[in-house]
């Protein structure tokens, strides 16, 4: 018979805020098919109006460059 327990957790995460005027550099694995890269770029541009989206193959993750921020 399974036992049940209550679990209280606090999770801390870093969030990247992307705003219009930003350039989102999206790093993708090198072996990502071209059609998938194009689909991802199209979806990001649709969901992030006013943001320049640049996909970089060969690495994974995402960064944001904000002109004028120090």
């Amino acid at each position: 018979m399974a036992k049940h327990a209550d679990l209280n957790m606090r999770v801390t995460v870093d969030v990247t805020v992307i705003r219009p005027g930003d350039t989102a550099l999206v790093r993708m694995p090198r072996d990502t098919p071209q059609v998938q890269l194009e689909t991802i770029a199209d979806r990001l541009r649709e969901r992030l109006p006013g943001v320049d989206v640049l996909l970089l193959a060969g690495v994974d993750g995402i960064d944001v460059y904000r002109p004028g921020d120090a």
Side-chain angles (χ1 to χ4, degrees):
M1 184 177 199
K3 294 183 180 183
H4 298 278
D6 290 328
L7 178 62
N8 294 315
M9 294 176 35
R10 173 178 277 169
V11 177
T12 303
V13 297
D14 292 322
V15 177
T16 300
V17 177
I18 303 173
R19 302 183 298 220
D22 289 346
T23 299
L25 306 174
V26 183
R27 299 179 303 231
M28 302 295 298
R30 184 176 310 280
D31 60 350
T32 305
Q34 184 65 33
V35 69
Q36 187 176 1
L37 292 172
E38 292 169 4
T39 299
I40 291 168
D42 290 344
R43 288 182 179 172
L44 287 170
R45 289 183 183 112
E46 177 183 309
R47 288 170 174 79
L48 300 170
V51 174
D52 290 327
V53 176
L54 176 62
L55 271 60
L56 305 171
V59 291
D60 57 8
I62 187 168
D63 291 315
V64 174
Y65 164 73
R66 185 169 291 126
D69 275 8

